[in-house]
Amino acid sequence: MKCHIAKIQDVNEAVYPNRTMAYTAALILIEHLSMWFKNLTVYRFNKPFSVDPDSLEKSLEDFTFSPCSSQDISKFGFSKAMGKHGETLIHTAGDRHLICATKEEKILPSQVIKEALEEKVSQIEAEENRKLAKKEKDAMKDEITTTLLPRAFSRRSQIRALILPEIQMVLVDSSSAAKSEELMALLRKAIGTLPIIPMSFKTPIETQLTEWLKEGKTPAAFEMQDEAELKSDSDEGGIVRFKQQDLSEDEVLAHIEVGKQVHKLALHFGQSIAFLLQSDAAIKRLKFSEEFRAGNDDLGNDDPMARLDADFALMSSELIALINATVEALGGLEDSI
């Protein structure tokens, strides 16, 4: 990140003589760096779905993020899709729609609550010469939590998603299934219905990945890298992981011969994206190549928001290409129920 900030400073000094303009441009470009998706949890619509941007914007407004009050443990809501310098909760380019949600959580260590509770319980038991019941302790714990909350620090995180009616899918930028489901639940609550299911395939992914590794050959759109995780179906078989190793070596293939299957495989899509494909259909550690990310460099940085918008179009197009190629390579999606 330090090198990115240094580049931003260089650009600002050359392009923006006014310090305020330079600072604003730097913030927008930092938003740009965080916009590129780093993981994918993929859902598909099991009923035809379309988006009217204006209607969706209005629906999301009722669930806009607001900071925690003194007694809130956490708050979760939609925020500006393009960050601090955006104007709307949904950013649309063609039939591609970006949304973002912000979560704020109070940091209240359980050990702090435990110690405060133990101290109070000991004091009351000594004064009243009796053991407190569990119900009384639970009430005290709630009271202590309420007392400590206003003084607790808080942390914020954001999660983004691409709604893609053109391929009838939703891509969530998260490696956590639980966090992805939380965002989808909020979106469902906002719009009333969201007919989605996790992406799944006709043939188990591990079967396909194992075949690729065994044959030393991937479909044309992909290139195998030097990382894999193999797992046995039996509890006794264990897991073996390879990193920075030639996966065509006998040492690797021997594990397939004894029944292990490939559950994680590092791949490269064309010249643009490196990633880790998992047997649960998660796509992790997305990394767009520097050459690909420089695809809009000819636009310059005079208008950072225009650059941000152009890069969003560039990223979303390539993610759609990646998903389509993955579905084809893995033998097609499982029929929806």
Side-chain angles (χ1 to χ4, degrees):
M1 187 59 152
K2 289 182 180 179
C3 65
H4 288 307
I5 292 174
K7 290 180 181 178
I8 289 169
Q9 289 172 340
D10 292 341
V11 167
N12 287 339
E13 290 174 1
V15 178
Y16 303 102
N18 181 284
R19 285 184 175 272
T20 301
M21 290 174 61
Y23 178 71
T24 301
L27 289 179
I28 294 175
L29 289 175
I30 290 172
E31 292 284 358
H32 154 263
L33 293 173
S34 66
M35 182 196 72
W36 294 85
F37 279 31
K38 299 175 180 62
N39 299 279
L40 292 180
T41 297
V42 184
Y43 299 87
R44 63 188 178 109
F45 292 103
N46 57 3
K47 293 181 181 179
F49 190 83
S50 61
V51 171
D52 176 69
D54 292 336
S55 297
L56 181 56
E57 179 77 21
K58 290 179 181 178
S59 297
L60 301 189
E61 286 174 356
D62 292 334
F63 297 86
T64 302
F65 170 76
S66 59
C68 288
S69 67
S70 62
Q71 292 302 314
D72 286 323
I73 295 178
S74 68
K75 293 291 284 291
F76 187 50
F78 294 106
S79 48
K80 294 176 181 177
M82 293 299 250
K84 295 178 181 179
H85 302 280
E87 297 180 355
T88 57
L89 299 175
I90 175 174
H91 180 78
T92 296
D95 202 18
R96 304 164 192 175
H97 313 280
L98 180 70
I99 61 172
C100 177
T102 297
K103 186 170 189 177
E104 182 176 12
E105 299 172 281
K106 291 287 183 66
I107 303 172
L108 199 55
S110 57
Q111 186 62 29
V112 173
I113 297 175
K114 180 182 177 183
E115 291 174 357
L117 178 62
E118 289 175 348
E119 182 178 347
K120 189 167 186 178
V121 168
S122 297
Q123 179 184 348
I124 293 176
E125 286 183 341
E127 291 175 352
E128 299 183 5
N129 195 27
R130 67 181 183 89
K131 290 289 184 182
L132 295 181
K134 182 179 183 302
K135 187 176 181 179
E136 292 176 293
K137 292 180 182 179
D138 289 342
M140 285 183 186
K141 183 177 180 180
D142 291 340
E143 182 183 335
I144 290 169
T145 300
T146 300
T147 302
L148 293 176
L149 270 176
R151 291 179 283 162
F153 290 104
S154 63
R155 62 185 172 195
R156 290 187 184 182
S157 60
Q158 290 189 321
I159 181 170
R160 290 178 169 86
L162 265 172
I163 304 172
L164 301 169
E166 64 184 278
I167 60 171
Q168 290 292 290
M169 288 191 178
V170 179
L171 313 184
V172 182
D173 182 13
S174 177
S175 61
S176 166
K179 291 180 180 179
S180 298
E181 287 291 345
E182 185 179 30
L183 175 58
M184 292 300 96
L186 182 65
L187 181 59
R188 184 179 291 110
K189 188 175 181 181
I191 64 179
T193 181
L194 190 66
I196 57 171
I197 56 176
M199 181 174 67
S200 58
F201 296 86
K202 294 177 180 178
T203 303
I205 295 177
E206 60 268 26
T207 300
Q208 295 281 20
L209 298 185
T210 302
E211 188 65 22
W212 295 356
L213 195 150
K214 184 177 180 181
E215 297 296 326
K217 185 178 180 181
T218 58
F222 300 96
E223 182 180 342
M224 198 180 308
Q225 300 301 292
D226 57 1
E227 180 178 349
E229 178 179 294
L230 287 73
K231 187 186 301 183
S232 175
D233 290 336
S234 65
D235 295 335
E236 296 79 16
I239 300 173
V240 59
R241 298 180 179 90
F242 295 98
K243 286 189 176 183
Q244 297 181 340
Q245 183 163 341
D246 183 350
L247 298 180
S248 65
E249 292 181 354
D250 291 342
E251 177 188 355
V252 179
L253 300 178
H255 289 280
I256 294 178
E257 294 300 322
V258 297
K260 288 187 176 69
Q261 290 191 305
V262 180
H263 283 258
K264 297 181 182 180
L265 184 63
L267 297 165
H268 210 288
F269 176 61
Q271 300 299 312
S272 57
I273 306 175
F275 64 99
L276 187 71
L277 179 59
Q278 299 190 169
S279 58
D280 61 359
I283 297 175
K284 297 189 176 181
R285 292 185 356 221
L286 276 175
K287 186 175 182 180
F288 292 86
S289 68
E290 289 295 328
E291 293 78 11
F292 180 79
R293 287 165 59 134
N296 289 320
D297 279 358
D298 59 321
L299 295 177
N301 295 291
D302 291 345
D303 187 343
M305 282 303 296
R307 175 61 187 270
L308 197 63
D309 190 49
D311 283 347
F312 167 70
L314 184 69
M315 179 192 72
S316 59
S317 293
E318 199 67 6
L319 288 178
I320 289 172
L322 170 64
I323 294 300
N324 285 337
T326 301
V327 170
E328 181 179 354
L330 294 175
L333 295 172
E334 185 178 23
D335 294 334
S336 60
I337 300 174

